[in-house]
Amino acid sequence: MTRIAIVGVAGRMGRTLVNAVQQDAGASLAGGIVEPGSSLAGADIGELAGLGKLGVAAVDSLEAIVDDFDVLIDFTTPRVTLNNLAACAKHGKGIVIGTTGLDDEELAALDAYRDKLPLVFAPNMSVGVNLTLKLLATAARALGDEGYDIEVIEAHHRHKVDSPSGTALKMGDVVAESLGRTLKEHGVFAREGQCGPRTDKEIGFATVRAGDIVGEHTVMFATEGERIEITHKASSRMTFAKGAVRAARWVAGQGNGRYDMQDVLGL
Ligand code: NAD
């Protein structure tokens, strides 16, 4: 039984994660962490998640429950995640990170922990998205150098703070890597005004932010005469939460290293 603590437990993903851990026979809920000084400290995390009392009170510091859990699941913000990585490394815990929007410096800081603890980091924990990444690599290899234009289109709810989504960037990365391109050189993240025709090798990104859309991604391969679209639509945050709990159970048995969902799922 893997004992799991959830940081950001009052957030959208945090509350969904409480549900997912409760539904998983191989995992137990060891604690929930809210922001330091939050008025929600002391609240029952089952009640925060709309499940009724579970007898686990939210705390506002990781140190308060450090003896109680094996793996921390973190869906918060880049800065908070880096602090939690340091704490988990210090206390010999595993960590599953779903936080997105890390800049290059923050990604390098995260990567520096690869030999200090077992960590899973993935911008999208859904099984379907991770299978989609495999399909994209195959499609890109078959089409990308044969005159097909590649565009990534994503839509999310109005509260999302980073853009394009971590998943869209990951999809773009997988496609670019399969074709020997890089997003740094070939990614096009905005088009406005007289920006001219597209170039052959660019990989374009377009973003929609509206309402309560959980997460939709399409990668389009278009040429004269046909268009192939590979689409994933998430209809509930539960798909990410279930993937994260699966990752937590998996990482509990791993040595130090940086892993992604492809490792967890054996894809
Ligand atoms: P949210 O704003 O609803 O939740 C974040 C929570 O973190 C908030 O409740 C906030 O109070 C809490 N928090 C902030 N600082 C904290 C601290 N120091 N200690 C404890 N808690 C703290 O956001 P969300 O929609 O749940 O998304 C969170 C992150 O997860 C985002 O980066 C989002 O893009 C990402 N996400 C990833 C996946 C995936 O599959 N990898 C899926 C969905 C969302």
Side-chain angles (χ1 to χ4, degrees), residues 7-8 10-14 33-36 75-76 80 98-100 122-125 160 162 240:
V7 62
R12 283 178 287 265
M13 277 306 299
I33 305 163
V34 291
E35 282 186 56
F75 283 66
T76 57
V80 175
T99 306
T100 63
N124 196 307
M125 302 268 173
K160 186 162 179 61
D162 52 317
F240 312 125

PDB file of all heavy atoms in Angstrom, residues 7-8 10-14 33-36 75-76 80 98-100 122-125 160 162 240, ligand 1:
ATOM      1  N   VAL A   7      -0.091  17.757  -2.198  1.00  0.00           N
ATOM      2  CA  VAL A   7       0.147  19.179  -1.929  1.00  0.00           C
ATOM      3  C   VAL A   7      -0.720  19.990  -2.898  1.00  0.00           C
ATOM      4  O   VAL A   7      -0.940  19.584  -4.035  1.00  0.00           O
ATOM      5  CB  VAL A   7       1.655  19.535  -2.031  1.00  0.00           C
ATOM      6  CG1 VAL A   7       2.203  19.294  -3.414  1.00  0.00           C
ATOM      7  CG2 VAL A   7       1.913  20.962  -1.616  1.00  0.00           C
ATOM      8  N   GLY A   8      -1.269  21.115  -2.370  1.00  0.00           N
ATOM      9  CA  GLY A   8      -2.252  21.861  -3.170  1.00  0.00           C
ATOM     10  C   GLY A   8      -3.608  21.174  -3.104  1.00  0.00           C
ATOM     11  O   GLY A   8      -4.380  21.189  -4.061  1.00  0.00           O
ATOM     12  N   ALA A  10      -6.375  21.752  -1.809  1.00  0.00           N
ATOM     13  CA  ALA A  10      -7.626  22.503  -1.963  1.00  0.00           C
ATOM     14  C   ALA A  10      -7.831  22.967  -3.410  1.00  0.00           C
ATOM     15  O   ALA A  10      -8.857  23.557  -3.741  1.00  0.00           O
ATOM     16  CB  ALA A  10      -7.625  23.721  -1.028  1.00  0.00           C
ATOM     17  N   GLY A  11      -6.860  22.704  -4.288  1.00  0.00           N
ATOM     18  CA  GLY A  11      -6.952  23.166  -5.681  1.00  0.00           C
ATOM     19  C   GLY A  11      -7.832  22.240  -6.517  1.00  0.00           C
ATOM     20  O   GLY A  11      -8.323  21.214  -6.031  1.00  0.00           O
ATOM     21  N   ARG A  12      -8.011  22.626  -7.791  1.00  0.00           N
ATOM     22  CA  ARG A  12      -8.868  21.821  -8.688  1.00  0.00           C
ATOM     23  C   ARG A  12      -8.331  20.390  -8.797  1.00  0.00           C
ATOM     24  O   ARG A  12      -9.069  19.422  -8.622  1.00  0.00           O
ATOM     25  CB  ARG A  12      -8.923  22.462 -10.082  1.00  0.00           C
ATOM     26  CG  ARG A  12      -9.837  23.666 -10.174  1.00  0.00           C
ATOM     27  CD  ARG A  12      -9.798  24.272 -11.567  1.00  0.00           C
ATOM     28  NE  ARG A  12      -8.538  24.964 -11.773  1.00  0.00           N
ATOM     29  CZ  ARG A  12      -8.360  26.284 -11.575  1.00  0.00           C
ATOM     30  NH1 ARG A  12      -9.369  27.024 -11.200  1.00  0.00           N
ATOM     31  NH2 ARG A  12      -7.185  26.837 -11.774  1.00  0.00           N
ATOM     32  N   MET A  13      -7.031  20.256  -9.075  1.00  0.00           N
ATOM     33  CA  MET A  13      -6.463  18.913  -9.187  1.00  0.00           C
ATOM     34  C   MET A  13      -6.344  18.256  -7.813  1.00  0.00           C
ATOM     35  O   MET A  13      -6.555  17.057  -7.673  1.00  0.00           O
ATOM     36  CB  MET A  13      -5.087  18.975  -9.872  1.00  0.00           C
ATOM     37  CG  MET A  13      -5.141  19.006 -11.384  1.00  0.00           C
ATOM     38  SD  MET A  13      -6.093  17.644 -12.098  1.00  0.00           S
ATOM     39  CE  MET A  13      -5.182  16.228 -11.511  1.00  0.00           C
ATOM     40  N   GLY A  14      -6.003  19.035  -6.782  1.00  0.00           N
ATOM     41  CA  GLY A  14      -5.840  18.489  -5.432  1.00  0.00           C
ATOM     42  C   GLY A  14      -7.096  17.769  -4.972  1.00  0.00           C
ATOM     43  O   GLY A  14      -7.042  16.625  -4.485  1.00  0.00           O
ATOM     44  N   ILE A  33      -1.777  19.012   1.945  1.00  0.00           N
ATOM     45  CA  ILE A  33      -1.065  20.242   2.328  1.00  0.00           C
ATOM     46  C   ILE A  33      -1.681  21.431   1.595  1.00  0.00           C
ATOM     47  O   ILE A  33      -1.879  21.383   0.373  1.00  0.00           O
ATOM     48  CB  ILE A  33       0.437  20.125   1.993  1.00  0.00           C
ATOM     49  CG1 ILE A  33       1.022  18.861   2.646  1.00  0.00           C
ATOM     50  CG2 ILE A  33       1.199  21.373   2.454  1.00  0.00           C
ATOM     51  CD1 ILE A  33       2.354  18.423   2.078  1.00  0.00           C
ATOM     52  N   VAL A  34      -2.004  22.482   2.362  1.00  0.00           N
ATOM     53  CA  VAL A  34      -2.518  23.723   1.781  1.00  0.00           C
ATOM     54  C   VAL A  34      -1.457  24.811   1.938  1.00  0.00           C
ATOM     55  O   VAL A  34      -0.419  24.597   2.573  1.00  0.00           O
ATOM     56  CB  VAL A  34      -3.856  24.147   2.452  1.00  0.00           C
ATOM     57  CG1 VAL A  34      -4.964  23.181   2.076  1.00  0.00           C
ATOM     58  CG2 VAL A  34      -3.702  24.261   3.966  1.00  0.00           C
ATOM     59  N   GLU A  35      -1.701  25.981   1.346  1.00  0.00           N
ATOM     60  CA  GLU A  35      -0.711  27.065   1.401  1.00  0.00           C
ATOM     61  C   GLU A  35      -0.410  27.458   2.842  1.00  0.00           C
ATOM     62  O   GLU A  35      -1.331  27.461   3.671  1.00  0.00           O
ATOM     63  CB  GLU A  35      -1.255  28.301   0.674  1.00  0.00           C
ATOM     64  CG  GLU A  35      -1.156  28.194  -0.819  1.00  0.00           C
ATOM     65  CD  GLU A  35      -1.558  29.491  -1.508  1.00  0.00           C
ATOM     66  OE1 GLU A  35      -0.974  30.541  -1.193  1.00  0.00           O
ATOM     67  OE2 GLU A  35      -2.468  29.440  -2.345  1.00  0.00           O
ATOM     68  N   PRO A  36       0.849  27.826   3.140  1.00  0.00           N
ATOM     69  CA  PRO A  36       1.190  28.264   4.498  1.00  0.00           C
ATOM     70  C   PRO A  36       0.256  29.400   4.935  1.00  0.00           C
ATOM     71  O   PRO A  36       0.004  30.326   4.179  1.00  0.00           O
ATOM     72  CB  PRO A  36       2.628  28.783   4.360  1.00  0.00           C
ATOM     73  CG  PRO A  36       3.168  28.095   3.151  1.00  0.00           C
ATOM     74  CD  PRO A  36       2.010  27.851   2.235  1.00  0.00           C
ATOM     75  N   PHE A  75       0.606  19.123  -7.691  1.00  0.00           N
ATOM     76  CA  PHE A  75       0.031  19.881  -8.813  1.00  0.00           C
ATOM     77  C   PHE A  75      -0.165  21.293  -8.288  1.00  0.00           C
ATOM     78  O   PHE A  75      -1.246  21.637  -7.786  1.00  0.00           O
ATOM     79  CB  PHE A  75      -1.319  19.316  -9.264  1.00  0.00           C
ATOM     80  CG  PHE A  75      -1.257  18.053 -10.089  1.00  0.00           C
ATOM     81  CD1 PHE A  75      -0.808  16.861  -9.549  1.00  0.00           C
ATOM     82  CD2 PHE A  75      -1.679  18.055 -11.414  1.00  0.00           C
ATOM     83  CE1 PHE A  75      -0.762  15.698 -10.310  1.00  0.00           C
ATOM     84  CE2 PHE A  75      -1.640  16.888 -12.188  1.00  0.00           C
ATOM     85  CZ  PHE A  75      -1.186  15.716 -11.633  1.00  0.00           C
ATOM     86  N   THR A  76       0.898  22.119  -8.317  1.00  0.00           N
ATOM     87  CA  THR A  76       0.787  23.463  -7.740  1.00  0.00           C
ATOM     88  C   THR A  76       1.350  24.492  -8.726  1.00  0.00           C
ATOM     89  O   THR A  76       0.790  24.681  -9.790  1.00  0.00           O
ATOM     90  CB  THR A  76       1.506  23.537  -6.368  1.00  0.00           C
ATOM     91  OG1 THR A  76       2.893  23.150  -6.540  1.00  0.00           O
ATOM     92  CG2 THR A  76       0.851  22.632  -5.333  1.00  0.00           C
ATOM     93  N   VAL A  80       6.683  26.488  -5.963  1.00  0.00           N
ATOM     94  CA  VAL A  80       6.273  25.603  -4.861  1.00  0.00           C
ATOM     95  C   VAL A  80       6.792  24.193  -5.127  1.00  0.00           C
ATOM     96  O   VAL A  80       7.325  23.518  -4.232  1.00  0.00           O
ATOM     97  CB  VAL A  80       4.720  25.609  -4.740  1.00  0.00           C
ATOM     98  CG1 VAL A  80       4.255  24.603  -3.700  1.00  0.00           C
ATOM     99  CG2 VAL A  80       4.221  27.013  -4.402  1.00  0.00           C
ATOM    100  N   GLY A  98       2.923  17.143 -11.435  1.00  0.00           N
ATOM    101  CA  GLY A  98       2.054  17.448 -12.579  1.00  0.00           C
ATOM    102  C   GLY A  98       2.072  18.914 -12.935  1.00  0.00           C
ATOM    103  O   GLY A  98       1.496  19.314 -13.954  1.00  0.00           O
ATOM    104  N   THR A  99       2.708  19.731 -12.107  1.00  0.00           N
ATOM    105  CA  THR A  99       2.760  21.184 -12.332  1.00  0.00           C
ATOM    106  C   THR A  99       3.302  21.498 -13.725  1.00  0.00           C
ATOM    107  O   THR A  99       4.283  20.900 -14.157  1.00  0.00           O
ATOM    108  CB  THR A  99       3.690  21.834 -11.274  1.00  0.00           C
ATOM    109  OG1 THR A  99       3.240  21.442  -9.990  1.00  0.00           O
ATOM    110  CG2 THR A  99       3.704  23.351 -11.401  1.00  0.00           C
ATOM    111  N   THR A 100       2.689  22.456 -14.409  1.00  0.00           N
ATOM    112  CA  THR A 100       3.180  22.875 -15.730  1.00  0.00           C
ATOM    113  C   THR A 100       3.641  24.332 -15.667  1.00  0.00           C
ATOM    114  O   THR A 100       3.518  24.994 -14.639  1.00  0.00           O
ATOM    115  CB  THR A 100       2.097  22.721 -16.809  1.00  0.00           C
ATOM    116  OG1 THR A 100       1.010  23.603 -16.486  1.00  0.00           O
ATOM    117  CG2 THR A 100       1.601  21.304 -16.902  1.00  0.00           C
ATOM    118  N   ALA A 122       5.515  14.873 -15.557  1.00  0.00           N
ATOM    119  CA  ALA A 122       4.841  14.788 -16.861  1.00  0.00           C
ATOM    120  C   ALA A 122       3.787  15.884 -16.943  1.00  0.00           C
ATOM    121  O   ALA A 122       3.002  16.053 -16.014  1.00  0.00           O
ATOM    122  CB  ALA A 122       4.180  13.423 -17.038  1.00  0.00           C
ATOM    123  N   PRO A 123       3.794  16.623 -18.047  1.00  0.00           N
ATOM    124  CA  PRO A 123       2.816  17.705 -18.189  1.00  0.00           C
ATOM    125  C   PRO A 123       1.402  17.192 -18.394  1.00  0.00           C
ATOM    126  O   PRO A 123       0.460  17.978 -18.319  1.00  0.00           O
ATOM    127  CB  PRO A 123       3.297  18.450 -19.434  1.00  0.00           C
ATOM    128  CG  PRO A 123       4.068  17.443 -20.215  1.00  0.00           C
ATOM    129  CD  PRO A 123       4.694  16.535 -19.198  1.00  0.00           C
ATOM    130  N   ASN A 124       1.262  15.903 -18.642  1.00  0.00           N
ATOM    131  CA  ASN A 124      -0.079  15.331 -18.760  1.00  0.00           C
ATOM    132  C   ASN A 124      -0.017  13.887 -18.307  1.00  0.00           C
ATOM    133  O   ASN A 124       0.740  13.095 -18.839  1.00  0.00           O
ATOM    134  CB  ASN A 124      -0.579  15.408 -20.203  1.00  0.00           C
ATOM    135  CG  ASN A 124      -2.071  15.184 -20.265  1.00  0.00           C
ATOM    136  OD1 ASN A 124      -2.568  14.192 -19.745  1.00  0.00           O
ATOM    137  ND2 ASN A 124      -2.786  16.107 -20.871  1.00  0.00           N
ATOM    138  N   MET A 125      -0.824  13.571 -17.294  1.00  0.00           N
ATOM    139  CA  MET A 125      -0.745  12.240 -16.679  1.00  0.00           C
ATOM    140  C   MET A 125      -1.772  11.278 -17.264  1.00  0.00           C
ATOM    141  O   MET A 125      -1.899  10.162 -16.778  1.00  0.00           O
ATOM    142  CB  MET A 125      -0.992  12.363 -15.167  1.00  0.00           C
ATOM    143  CG  MET A 125      -0.044  13.287 -14.449  1.00  0.00           C
ATOM    144  SD  MET A 125       1.370  12.399 -13.807  1.00  0.00           S
ATOM    145  CE  MET A 125       2.387  13.746 -13.234  1.00  0.00           C
ATOM    146  N   LYS A 160      -6.793  28.750 -16.591  1.00  0.00           N
ATOM    147  CA  LYS A 160      -5.424  28.251 -16.812  1.00  0.00           C
ATOM    148  C   LYS A 160      -4.455  29.417 -16.996  1.00  0.00           C
ATOM    149  O   LYS A 160      -4.735  30.365 -17.726  1.00  0.00           O
ATOM    150  CB  LYS A 160      -5.394  27.334 -18.047  1.00  0.00           C
ATOM    151  CG  LYS A 160      -4.047  26.674 -18.251  1.00  0.00           C
ATOM    152  CD  LYS A 160      -4.118  25.474 -19.161  1.00  0.00           C
ATOM    153  CE  LYS A 160      -2.755  24.843 -19.363  1.00  0.00           C
ATOM    154  NZ  LYS A 160      -2.138  24.361 -18.115  1.00  0.00           N
ATOM    155  N   ASP A 162      -0.887  29.206 -17.767  1.00  0.00           N
ATOM    156  CA  ASP A 162       0.236  29.108 -18.708  1.00  0.00           C
ATOM    157  C   ASP A 162      -0.280  28.764 -20.112  1.00  0.00           C
ATOM    158  O   ASP A 162      -1.305  28.119 -20.279  1.00  0.00           O
ATOM    159  CB  ASP A 162       1.276  28.075 -18.235  1.00  0.00           C
ATOM    160  CG  ASP A 162       0.660  26.724 -17.904  1.00  0.00           C
ATOM    161  OD1 ASP A 162      -0.413  26.692 -17.267  1.00  0.00           O
ATOM    162  OD2 ASP A 162       1.234  25.681 -18.280  1.00  0.00           O
ATOM    163  N   PHE A 240      -6.424  12.722 -15.271  1.00  0.00           N
ATOM    164  CA  PHE A 240      -5.076  13.128 -14.832  1.00  0.00           C
ATOM    165  C   PHE A 240      -4.786  12.579 -13.428  1.00  0.00           C
ATOM    166  O   PHE A 240      -3.690  12.120 -13.133  1.00  0.00           O
ATOM    167  CB  PHE A 240      -4.950  14.653 -14.791  1.00  0.00           C
ATOM    168  CG  PHE A 240      -5.446  15.344 -16.035  1.00  0.00           C
ATOM    169  CD1 PHE A 240      -6.405  16.343 -15.962  1.00  0.00           C
ATOM    170  CD2 PHE A 240      -4.952  14.997 -17.283  1.00  0.00           C
ATOM    171  CE1 PHE A 240      -6.864  16.979 -17.100  1.00  0.00           C
ATOM    172  CE2 PHE A 240      -5.408  15.622 -18.431  1.00  0.00           C
ATOM    173  CZ  PHE A 240      -6.375  16.617 -18.341  1.00  0.00           C
TER     174      PHE A 240
HETATM  175  P1  NAD B   1      -5.288  25.365  -8.780  1.00  0.00           P
HETATM  176  O1  NAD B   1      -4.903  26.799  -8.767  1.00  0.00           O
HETATM  177  O2  NAD B   1      -6.746  25.004  -8.704  1.00  0.00           O
HETATM  178  O3  NAD B   1      -4.549  24.585  -7.584  1.00  0.00           O
HETATM  179  C1  NAD B   1      -3.253  24.853  -7.124  1.00  0.00           C
HETATM  180  C2  NAD B   1      -3.304  24.787  -5.615  1.00  0.00           C
HETATM  181  O4  NAD B   1      -1.985  24.885  -5.093  1.00  0.00           O
HETATM  182  C3  NAD B   1      -4.129  25.928  -4.992  1.00  0.00           C
HETATM  183  O5  NAD B   1      -5.134  25.365  -4.169  1.00  0.00           O
HETATM  184  C4  NAD B   1      -3.090  26.689  -4.154  1.00  0.00           C
HETATM  185  O6  NAD B   1      -3.658  27.161  -2.950  1.00  0.00           O
HETATM  186  C5  NAD B   1      -2.085  25.570  -3.861  1.00  0.00           C
HETATM  187  N1  NAD B   1      -0.784  26.081  -3.415  1.00  0.00           N
HETATM  188  C6  NAD B   1      -0.084  27.168  -3.878  1.00  0.00           C
HETATM  189  N2  NAD B   1       1.039  27.333  -3.149  1.00  0.00           N
HETATM  190  C7  NAD B   1       1.069  26.331  -2.235  1.00  0.00           C
HETATM  191  C8  NAD B   1       1.978  25.967  -1.192  1.00  0.00           C
HETATM  192  N3  NAD B   1       3.106  26.673  -0.962  1.00  0.00           N
HETATM  193  N4  NAD B   1       1.705  24.875  -0.444  1.00  0.00           N
HETATM  194  C9  NAD B   1       0.576  24.147  -0.660  1.00  0.00           C
HETATM  195  N5  NAD B   1      -0.328  24.457  -1.613  1.00  0.00           N
HETATM  196  C10 NAD B   1      -0.084  25.528  -2.389  1.00  0.00           C
HETATM  197  O7  NAD B   1      -4.652  24.750 -10.113  1.00  0.00           O
HETATM  198  P2  NAD B   1      -4.978  23.348 -10.818  1.00  0.00           P
HETATM  199  O8  NAD B   1      -5.961  23.558 -11.940  1.00  0.00           O
HETATM  200  O9  NAD B   1      -5.251  22.293  -9.784  1.00  0.00           O
HETATM  201  O10 NAD B   1      -3.574  23.074 -11.556  1.00  0.00           O
HETATM  202  C11 NAD B   1      -2.355  23.010 -10.812  1.00  0.00           C
HETATM  203  C12 NAD B   1      -1.207  22.702 -11.770  1.00  0.00           C
HETATM  204  O11 NAD B   1      -1.376  21.396 -12.339  1.00  0.00           O
HETATM  205  C13 NAD B   1      -1.104  23.660 -12.981  1.00  0.00           C
HETATM  206  O12 NAD B   1       0.257  23.872 -13.261  1.00  0.00           O
HETATM  207  C14 NAD B   1      -1.775  22.870 -14.112  1.00  0.00           C
HETATM  208  O13 NAD B   1      -1.365  23.260 -15.399  1.00  0.00           O
HETATM  209  C15 NAD B   1      -1.288  21.481 -13.768  1.00  0.00           C
HETATM  210  N6  NAD B   1      -2.067  20.375 -14.353  1.00  0.00           N
HETATM  211  C16 NAD B   1      -1.348  19.305 -14.789  1.00  0.00           C
HETATM  212  C17 NAD B   1      -2.003  18.183 -15.271  1.00  0.00           C
HETATM  213  C18 NAD B   1      -1.189  16.970 -15.637  1.00  0.00           C
HETATM  214  O14 NAD B   1      -1.766  15.939 -16.038  1.00  0.00           O
HETATM  215  N7  NAD B   1       0.138  17.000 -15.478  1.00  0.00           N
HETATM  216  C19 NAD B   1      -3.401  18.160 -15.342  1.00  0.00           C
HETATM  217  C20 NAD B   1      -4.114  19.276 -14.885  1.00  0.00           C
HETATM  218  C21 NAD B   1      -3.430  20.368 -14.373  1.00  0.00           C
END
